[in-house]
Every structure is written in structure tokens, then in C-alpha cells.
Amino acid sequence: SPLALERAARRQRWKWRLNAIKNFKLYPYLQQNLPSQEGLYFFFGLYTMAATYAVFYTIDAAETKAYQQIYDSIYCTVLVGATAFLTFPIWPPAIKSHRFIAFFWPLGIGAILFFAGTLLVIIGALHHMQVMILMTNLLVAFLLLQWPLTIFLASIGACVAVGYFTYCTGTMPPVSILGFIQMIYGILLVAGLALKGKQAYRGLVSSHAQ
């Protein structure tokens, strides 16, 4: 019956999660999140450079001067990361090894999409362009990575961005901005989890039916 299938699928999911936690190994897990085609590195670098530098034009001169250290940090982070991904096809084979890129890929995504993206929203005081880019960044990360890694990188990136802003300015970001960022992340993360859970449930139901 559908109810029995649903209960069996739920038990199977919990069993799978417990086994995954017990047998978790970082490097093989990161390898599973690598793109299947090298061209995706180039297109990701192109997207991040275009999106981030488009947002820079929405920040006026007064905000740039007031947050010069933060502005420079975002500029350097995006420039280095995006350039590395754009030039990935011509990397030397020794540097292009899976062991290096397995760690560089998620770290680059977290630094560019979530650390820099959150800082842009904070210093831009919720400008509509920066909010749209932040939401798009999270959706792009869901497409490129598995959802647990996306959640981890989004949480760490946002927390580090808030801490870095506080360190540079000596003040916490406004409560309204923090609440809005939490709401955006929460809505999109729940939507992503629901989508992934629905896909997993369909897979289990189809396997039982077979």
C-alpha cells in the first residue's frame, strides 16, 4: 500500500543517513561533488565574475569609501577565485589533480558565493540587485553541489562574513539585514531540501515497485 511504501522509504532513508555518518570520509565525499566536465569550472568563474562585478556598480562612492577594507577584500576574493576557475583548463596536470581541486572547488564556492555575497548584501543595505544575486548564488550552489555541503558552506560563509564585517567596522550589521539574510537562506534551503527529499522518495518508491 502507499502507506507501507512511505514507511519503508522513511526507514530506508534513516538507515542510509546513519550508515553515511558512520562511514563518512571527507576526500571521497568531496570527489563526488566535482563537476563531471571541466567546462563547468570556466562557466562558474565567468558567472561569478560577471555577477559580482555587476553588483559593484550598485554600490555608491560613499559606501565604497566607508567600507573600503571590506570592499577590497571582496574584490580580491572574487578576482582570485574567478580567475582560477576561468583558467582551470590550462592548469598544469600536477596542480589540476583531483586531490587539490576536490578541496579548492567547495572552498572557492563558499568564499565567492556566500562570504562575498553576504558581505555585498550587508554593505549595500539590501539593494535589490545584491539580494537577487545572493538568491541566485544559493540556487547555483544547489545545482553544483550536494545539499548537505551547500548548507554547510552557506552557513559558514554567512557567519564568517558577519564576523568579518563586525571585525572591520567594530559594529554588528543591522538586525533588519541579518533577519532578512536568515529569511532568504532559510526559504531557499528548505525549498532545496524539499526538492532533494522528493527526488529521493521517488527513487525509493520506484525501486520498491520494481
Side-chain angles (χ1 to χ4, degrees):
S1 65
L3 181 59
L5 285 175
E6 183 178 355
R7 290 175 177 174
R10 189 182 302 114
R11 288 195 298 268
Q12 187 67 21
R13 285 198 298 269
W14 278 110
K15 183 179 179 180
W16 179 86
R17 291 181 186 129
L18 292 175
N19 289 333
I21 293 173
K22 292 178 181 178
N23 303 319
F24 178 77
K25 294 181 180 179
L26 181 60
Y27 177 61
Y29 175 74
L30 294 180
Q31 276 189 310
Q32 297 173 9
N33 287 271
L34 291 176
S36 57
Q37 300 178 352
E38 286 191 358
L40 286 176
Y41 296 108
F42 173 82
F43 287 112
F44 174 73
L46 189 64
Y47 161 77
T48 55
M49 185 169 287
T52 305
Y53 288 104
V55 172
F56 279 153
Y57 286 102
T58 66
I59 302 176
D60 56 36
E63 291 174 339
T64 301
K65 186 176 181 180
Y67 303 109
Q68 189 64 49
Q69 183 178 354
I70 300 175
Y71 185 90
D72 293 341
S73 299
I74 299 173
Y75 188 91
C76 293
T77 298
V78 176
L79 180 62
V80 172
T83 302
F85 289 122
L86 283 171
T87 59
F88 180 81
I90 62 173
W91 283 14
I95 302 179
K96 201 189 290 189
S97 66
H98 276 190
R99 183 167 292 276
F100 173 77
I101 195 62
F103 290 93
F104 183 75
W105 175 240
L107 288 176
I109 290 177
I112 297 173
L113 298 187
F114 302 122
F115 173 73
T118 303
L119 283 176
L120 285 171
V121 170
I122 294 175
I123 66 176
L126 297 179
H127 189 278
H128 67 276
M129 175 66 74
Q130 293 142 12
V131 173
M132 182 183 69
I133 293 298
L134 182 64
M135 296 173 64
T136 306
N137 288 348
L138 190 55
L139 292 175
V140 168
F142 266 114
L143 294 175
L144 295 176
L145 303 172
Q146 296 180 12
W147 66 265
L149 185 57
T150 301
I151 293 176
F152 176 77
L153 292 175
S155 303
I156 295 298
C159 291
V160 173
V162 172
Y164 184 73
F165 179 88
T166 305
Y167 170 79
C168 292
T169 63
T171 58
M172 286 286 293
V175 176
S176 59
I177 295 179
L178 290 178
F180 185 82
I181 292 174
Q182 291 176 349
M183 181 184 70
I184 292 297
Y185 275 124
I187 291 174
L188 293 179
L189 289 176
V190 169
L193 287 173
L195 178 61
K196 295 293 184 179
K198 187 176 181 180
Q199 292 174 348
Y201 173 73
R202 286 180 176 176
L204 287 172
V205 171
S206 62
S207 64
H208 279 290
Q210 294 175 356

